[in-house]
């Protein structure tokens, strides 16, 4: 069904009272197409813009229980409260309202660089190679920071990253499923985009750690510089950087780099 807030239309499975959003200003956009169970709003108050992620309603693409979405977002709030980095969207606070739970962030002007947003993705991939290399360096810097804080990045893929074309900067926007390291695969098939997931993220009981995220970064490199393909012909950088990325996505985790720092050092040397 259709619903409106501050004149902005959106879709939702069942009517929901979002009047509590008035506390955070005027709504200027609604992101209602996520399959996570969250619905997101851009608001403006006294000249400042905010991004609000809310769980508890029933978005059109979500078939689960809103109570599960609330629980997941509450767990995510602890991660957001602990991780702060210049390449991560700025978390402000959380709130409970309307029978649900929300997180509040400073608004970022970037657009998602992931393939699920074709127009923005094409624009990002049209950037020069050095510009995409700089974006990868932003991602790598954040991942090194997260590892140093003993977090494992789960459900981390190109859709977790914004790109600000004005500032020429990549900004991580989704860390909801990050876990403290070491972690264990307790689902069988973990949350995430399959092409960015290591074999252990499909294996119940497997260890999930920094070596898991080396695979994630190798997959990210192939997304940015190989158009998601892992053959040498599709690779747009040097042979040495290809070798580094290929080692990072080894199915055998013993062949991967032992840490993100080791991967970063090899990547820099190869470049």
């Amino acid at each position: 069904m259709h619903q409106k807030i501050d004149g902005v239309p959106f879709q939702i499975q069942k009517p929901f009272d979002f009047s509590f959003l008035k506390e955070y200003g005027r709504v200027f956009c609604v992101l209602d197409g996520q399959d996570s169970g969250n619905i997101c709003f851009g608001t403006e108050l006294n000249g400042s813009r905010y991004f609000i992620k809310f769980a508890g309603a029933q978005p059109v693409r979500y078939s689960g229980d809103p109570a599960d979405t609330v629980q997941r977002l509450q767990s995510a709030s602890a991660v957001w409260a602990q991780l702060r980095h210049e390449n991560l969207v700025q978390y402000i606070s959380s709130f409970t309202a309307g029978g649900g739970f929300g997180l509040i962030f400073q608004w970022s002007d970037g657009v998602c660089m992931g393939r699920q947003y074709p127009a923005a993705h094409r624009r990002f991939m049209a950037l020069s190679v050095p510009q995409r290399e700089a974006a990868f360096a932003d991602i790598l810097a954040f991942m090194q920071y997260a590892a140093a804080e003993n977090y494992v990045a789960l459900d981390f893929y190109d859709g977790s990253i914004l790109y600000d074309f004005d500032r020429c900067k990549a900004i991580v926007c989704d860390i909801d499923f990050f876990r403290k390291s070491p972690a264990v695969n307790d689902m069988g098939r973990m949350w995430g985009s399959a092409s960015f997931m290591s074999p252990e993220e499909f294996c119940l009981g497997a260890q999930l750690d920094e070596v898991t995220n080396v695979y994630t970064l190798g997959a990210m490199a192939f997304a940015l510089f190989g158009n998601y393909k892992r053959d040498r012909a599709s690779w747009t950088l040097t042979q040495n950087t290809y070798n580094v990325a290929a080692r990072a996505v080894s199915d055998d985790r013993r062949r991967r780099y032992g840490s993100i720092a080791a991967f970063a050092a090899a990547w820099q040397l190869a470049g």
Side-chain angles (χ1 to χ4, degrees):
M1 65 164 293
H2 293 278
Q3 195 168 321
K4 280 187 178 182
I5 184 167
D6 292 336
V8 181
F10 60 96
Q11 290 188 310
I12 198 163
Q13 291 187 44
K14 295 180 181 179
F16 195 89
D17 182 6
F18 289 106
S19 59
F20 60 85
L21 288 173
K22 291 179 181 178
E23 180 179 347
Y24 308 103
R26 176 187 61 84
V27 172
F28 63 85
C29 75
V30 182
L31 303 176
D32 58 0
Q34 285 73 23
D35 60 6
S36 63
N38 300 312
I39 186 167
C40 302
F41 303 88
T43 69
E44 186 169 5
L45 180 65
N46 298 327
S48 296
R49 287 188 163 193
Y50 303 95
F51 180 82
I52 297 175
K53 181 186 289 189
F54 182 79
Q58 290 188 291
V60 287
R61 291 188 60 202
Y62 184 63
S63 58
D65 186 342
D68 294 335
T69 313
V70 169
Q71 187 277 324
R72 287 194 293 268
L73 199 61
Q74 287 173 331
S75 296
S77 67
V79 181
W80 282 104
Q82 292 183 43
L83 293 181
R84 306 279 179 163
H85 191 269
E86 62 179 354
N87 300 339
L88 178 67
V89 294
Q90 185 178 342
Y91 168 73
I92 299 174
S93 63
S94 64
F95 66 91
T96 299
F101 183 79
L103 303 180
I104 307 171
F105 303 87
Q106 292 284 356
W107 178 265
S108 290
D109 286 325
V111 295
C112 183
M113 63 181 242
R115 285 184 292 182
Q116 68 270 52
Y117 299 96
H121 176 68
R122 286 193 298 269
R123 185 182 175 194
F124 174 79
M125 293 302 289
L127 292 173
S128 68
V129 169
Q131 286 174 310
R132 279 182 279 133
E133 287 183 294
F136 187 59
D138 291 336
I139 298 165
L140 187 52
F142 169 74
M143 290 288 277
Q144 285 186 272
Y145 161 76
E149 295 295 316
N150 294 316
Y151 274 93
V152 182
L154 300 175
D155 190 28
F156 189 75
Y157 64 114
D158 57 352
S160 306
I161 302 160
L162 305 175
Y163 188 76
D164 187 329
F165 286 90
D166 290 333
R167 294 195 296 149
C168 300
K169 187 173 184 62
I171 308 160
V172 175
C173 64
D174 189 354
I175 59 171
D176 285 9
F177 288 96
F178 281 33
R179 294 187 186 182
K180 274 290 190 178
S181 178
V184 173
N185 182 332
D186 55 4
M187 294 173 60
R189 200 270 192 211
M190 298 298 295
W191 300 98
S193 173
S195 61
F196 290 84
M197 295 167 66
S198 68
E200 54 264 34
E201 291 175 86
F202 295 90
C203 181
L204 186 65
Q207 181 178 343
L208 306 173
D209 55 18
E210 202 170 339
V211 179
T212 303
N213 286 159
V214 167
Y215 186 103
T216 307
L217 285 166
M220 189 71 71
F222 278 111
L224 270 60
F225 308 112
N227 196 26
Y228 300 86
K229 299 174 184 177
R230 298 185 182 178
D231 59 282
R232 179 65 183 91
S234 302
W235 187 253
T236 55
L237 300 181
T238 65
Q239 179 67 51
N240 287 340
T241 53
Y242 176 82
N243 294 342
V244 172
R247 177 178 169 183
V249 295
S250 298
D251 286 344
D252 183 351
R253 51 181 281 127
R254 294 171 299 182
R255 295 190 61 233
R256 297 178 214 152
Y257 298 95
S259 67
I260 293 175
F263 169 82
W267 180 266
Q268 185 174 17
L269 185 64

